[in-house]
Amino acid sequence: MTRRLYIETVGCQMNMLDSELVVASLRQRGYRLVDSPKRADTILFNTCSVRQHAEDKIYSALGRLKHAKRHHPDKVIGVIGCMAQKDQHQIFERAPYVDLVVGPGQLQQIPDLIERVTLGAGRQIEVSLGRKDGTREQISRSHESYDPLRDPTMRPTPFQAYVRIQIGCDKFCTYCIVPMVRGPEQGRPPEDILAEARILVDQGTKEITLLGQTVNSYRYTAHGKTTCLSNLLESLQEIDGLDRIKFVTNYPKDMTDDLLDAVHDLSKVSPYLHVPAQSGSNRILERMKRGYTVEDYRDMMHRIRQRVPEAAVTSDFIVGFCSETENDFKQTIDLVRECRFKNCFIFKYSERPGTKGAERMDDDVPEDVKKRRNNELLAVQNEICEEENLKFLGQTVEVLVEGPSKAARKQASSENVVEQLTGRTPSDHIAVFNGNARLVGRILPVRIYDVTPFTLFGDIVTDHVGPEVYGLELASPP
Ligand code: SAM
Ligand code: SF4
């Protein structure tokens, strides 16, 4: 019997990839995806615990299912991913009608666990060991990397794919829950990464984004040989049919010159670097235990500008971290002005139980101050985005066409062959232009004629020269 699956995903690219893989493995067992929890008999929430807000969203969504479960007790409800690992049995306490709690290190078990629930075995929980619950070896083994065979129909676009190269994190920034829920940092064997990339390219993938929490710290040692990210990029460059390679997220201290040279020298590697700074104040960086100073970050930016002058650099910042003063915040604004990022993700500090920040520091910046600082920093960054985007006016950029633009999707009409399309440049800028839906998946030159802080508007450059010829419409006689 076909089961109907509804899945909702919150959080980062790693979660999006996990959901893709879980759905693919359930489809192999005969599940069909549906677009609403009402129509589903299995409902999964792939969760995030980086900020409180992401967790609140899931608990409210679960609350809305309470009545549905009462009327349809056969519906299987599962909470998977980071919040499952963090809250574990608490989820059953807060939402007793949940059947399944599965951490990010146990995702491969989901099909069997659902089956057990449907056969009447009751609630199922599978999570990894905590960071203090065993030797490093034991804890690592309990966080299994989940990378089964890929199914192109499961991706938003078949020509773009994520590939995991690293799981976990060992940096233990004092505000961050990731090392606790995703376990120790583990590099994936390079031969597995390359084999997966080749399969994806055979399936039509043109752009691969390598994923890791600190992707540029990637190391894998076997038989006395260590492979690092620049080596991986060199091997991926050799894959025929692959056009673009991106990687996120970078850790400032591990941005080595050889990696920057690889980004510059390898034609398929996008000149796009996401390197979160988190703060412009040394005092705050130290309290965050980021392991670098503002001077180190500046030096890294200088090396990026020298070695990869065409690079677009993006960053993350947290405002209102414990004890952040107006002066600390001002230094963050100064750093943002100075670095002229292509874009920044700005977050209000959210205390996470289980982190050093929660245990040892006071979340003492009032919410309204966090909000104001967030808006102020955003305004500074938006100004920079617009100024930087102006440089694209009149330029021709290479765009990988992803599909209809947001506006076009809103007023979708299948009869329209020419519609507004969207895609990304190698530096990850979003471009919008008119074109035929058949162009989706192709890389095309687009000449930019207008910009906003977040979007470039352009026209596809065609080989066609000379005046346009229009067919004459014969007016019908009155
Ligand atoms: N591994 C990446 C790194 O080190 O930059 C990113 C991990 S995290 C999922 C993405 C971003 O969320 C971080 O860069 C940070 O700015 C933000 N973040 C993490 N913990 C946070 C917290 N407790 N409150 C607010 N923002 C947080
Ligand atoms: Fe979290 Fe820091 Fe690790 Fe990034 S590097 S995942 S912010 S602990």
Side-chain angles (χ1 to χ4, degrees):
M1 195 189 69
T2 308
R3 287 187 66 86
R4 295 182 305 274
L5 168 72
Y6 174 79
I7 186 164
E8 204 164 298
T9 307
V10 285
C12 61
Q13 293 105 325
M14 204 62 104
N15 279 10
M16 283 158 71
L17 173 58
D18 283 340
S19 287
E20 176 194 322
L21 301 176
V22 166
V23 174
S25 65
L26 286 171
R27 278 191 18 149
Q28 279 178 358
R29 301 260 188 127
Y31 283 74
R32 184 164 64 83
L33 258 189
V34 294
D35 57 8
S36 92
K38 268 200 191 122
R39 298 177 49 219
D41 43 38
T42 303
I43 301 168
L44 297 179
F45 292 99
N46 191 3
T47 58
C48 168
S49 44
V50 166
R51 281 169 290 279
Q52 179 69 42
H53 176 65
E55 294 189 350
D56 293 345
K57 250 168 81 174
I58 296 297
Y59 279 114
S60 338
L62 286 174
R64 286 194 293 273
L65 289 177
K66 192 172 169 180
H67 293 286
K69 180 76 175 178
R70 199 175 296 149
H71 294 301
H72 305 279
D74 290 346
K75 265 190 205 277
V76 177
I77 301 176
V79 176
I80 67 174
C82 295
M83 198 182 95
Q85 178 66 35
K86 175 174 157 283
D87 287 358
Q88 306 191 0
H89 285 279
Q90 275 179 49
I91 296 175
F92 293 137
E93 282 157 30
R94 284 186 67 171
Y97 40 91
V98 166
D99 301 289
L100 199 69
V101 169
V102 186
Q106 318 289 331
L107 300 179
Q108 69 279 18
Q109 301 188 40
I110 287 176
D112 290 341
L113 293 170
I114 297 178
E115 199 172 316
R116 264 185 242 162
V117 173
T118 56
L119 292 175
R123 280 175 185 166
Q124 301 291 314
I125 177 162
E126 283 295 338
V127 288
S128 304
L129 293 175
R131 293 293 302 238
K132 290 179 186 150
D133 295 343
T135 63
R136 186 182 167 89
E137 177 70 22
Q138 289 167 331
I139 302 165
S140 295
R141 251 186 287 122
S142 79
H143 284 268
E144 289 172 57
S145 182
Y146 179 53
D147 297 290
L149 273 182
R150 305 297 295 261
D151 176 348
T153 60
M154 283 302 102
R155 292 192 283 282
T157 64
F159 47 88
Q160 291 173 302
Y162 293 125
V163 170
R164 200 190 319 267
I165 70 166
Q166 180 193 56
I167 61 170
C169 179
D170 284 340
K171 301 290 193 274
F172 289 100
C173 302
T174 53
Y175 52 81
C176 185
I177 195 73
V178 171
M180 271 57 85
V181 291
R182 291 259 175 194
E185 181 182 317
Q186 301 181 65
R188 194 175 166 203
E191 54 280 10
D192 290 5
I193 298 168
L194 292 169
E196 184 171 27
R198 286 192 197 101
I199 291 170
L200 286 163
V201 171
D202 285 345
Q203 291 174 345
T205 297
K206 294 191 167 176
E207 178 185 280
I208 279 178
T209 302
L210 307 175
L211 296 185
Q213 291 298 343
T214 55
V215 73
N216 56 338
S217 324
Y218 171 83
R219 289 270 179 292
Y220 189 85
T221 304
H223 316 297
K225 183 175 173 250
T226 297
T227 305
C228 59
L229 180 58
S230 56
N231 306 134
L232 260 188
L233 295 175
E234 281 159 16
S235 306
L236 288 163
Q237 167 84 17
E238 299 303 315
I239 299 181
D240 281 339
L242 179 60
D243 290 321
R244 278 189 187 177
I245 309 160
K246 294 179 177 171
F247 52 90
V248 286
T249 295
N250 292 282
Y251 186 64
K253 237 178 112 179
D254 293 334
M255 194 61 91
T256 56
D257 286 346
D258 78 292
L259 176 59
L260 294 177
D261 290 342
V263 175
H264 179 260
D265 296 342
L266 301 172
S267 59
K268 295 180 181 177
V269 178
S270 289
Y272 162 62
L273 297 165
H274 181 56
V275 211
Q278 312 296 2
S279 171
S281 152
N282 279 334
R283 195 180 69 82
I284 295 294
L285 284 175
E286 199 182 334
R287 300 202 86 200
M288 289 176 162
K289 199 173 155 283
R290 281 293 283 180
Y292 54 85
T293 60
V294 180
E295 291 71 30
D296 295 332
Y297 194 88
R298 273 201 191 106
D299 170 67
M300 178 206 70
M301 284 300 287
H302 180 68
R303 287 185 296 112
I304 293 176
R305 300 289 183 224
Q306 286 217 312
R307 287 173 187 263
V308 201
E310 71 282 22
V313 183
T314 59
S315 193
D316 291 352
F317 285 91
I318 296 177
V319 294
F321 185 63
C322 311
S323 86
E324 186 189 69
T325 62
E326 285 304 320
N327 186 40
D328 293 317
F329 175 63
K330 190 183 158 301
Q331 293 176 53
T332 296
I333 292 203
D334 291 344
L335 185 67
V336 168
R337 283 198 199 283
E338 181 187 327
C339 293
R340 299 191 70 77
F341 297 109
K342 176 216 151 204
N343 193 10
C344 283
F345 298 95
I346 301 162
F347 307 103
K348 290 179 288 172
Y349 172 58
S350 166
E351 188 176 77
R352 306 287 53 224
T355 61
K356 289 273 181 313
E359 280 164 18
R360 299 187 184 166
M361 297 174 212
D362 253 358
D363 180 13
D364 54 0
V365 178
E367 186 57 29
D368 57 331
V369 175
K370 287 180 184 171
K371 210 168 180 176
R372 173 181 49 78
R373 290 181 188 167
N374 190 325
N375 291 341
E376 245 177 74
L377 195 56
L378 209 57
V380 171
Q381 179 57 43
N382 286 353
E383 218 176 276
I384 295 168
C385 288
E386 182 143 31
E387 285 165 12
E388 288 295 307
N389 278 357
L390 283 172
K391 295 180 184 162
F392 283 97
L393 283 179
Q395 275 194 34
T396 299
V397 290
E398 295 285 307
V399 176
L400 172 57
V401 186
E402 291 179 3
S405 70
K406 259 192 211 156
R409 265 180 273 143
K410 267 192 202 149
Q411 36 172 279
S413 144
S414 53
E415 288 129 49
N416 264 353
V417 278
V418 174
E419 58 181 335
Q420 201 177 49
L421 299 173
T422 182
R424 279 173 200 260
T425 69
S427 52
D428 209 51
H429 286 84
I430 294 170
V432 167
F433 44 93
N434 284 337
N436 193 302
R438 278 197 324 254
L439 298 174
V440 171
R442 290 190 35 198
I443 294 181
L444 298 170
V446 172
R447 186 173 300 120
I448 304 304
Y449 64 77
D450 194 12
V451 299
T452 65
F454 308 109
T455 313
L456 313 177
F457 293 89
D459 288 320
I460 297 172
V461 180
T462 58
D463 294 334
H464 172 86
V465 282
E468 296 282 357
V469 181
Y470 295 100
L472 287 178
E473 289 257 12
L474 285 180
S476 16

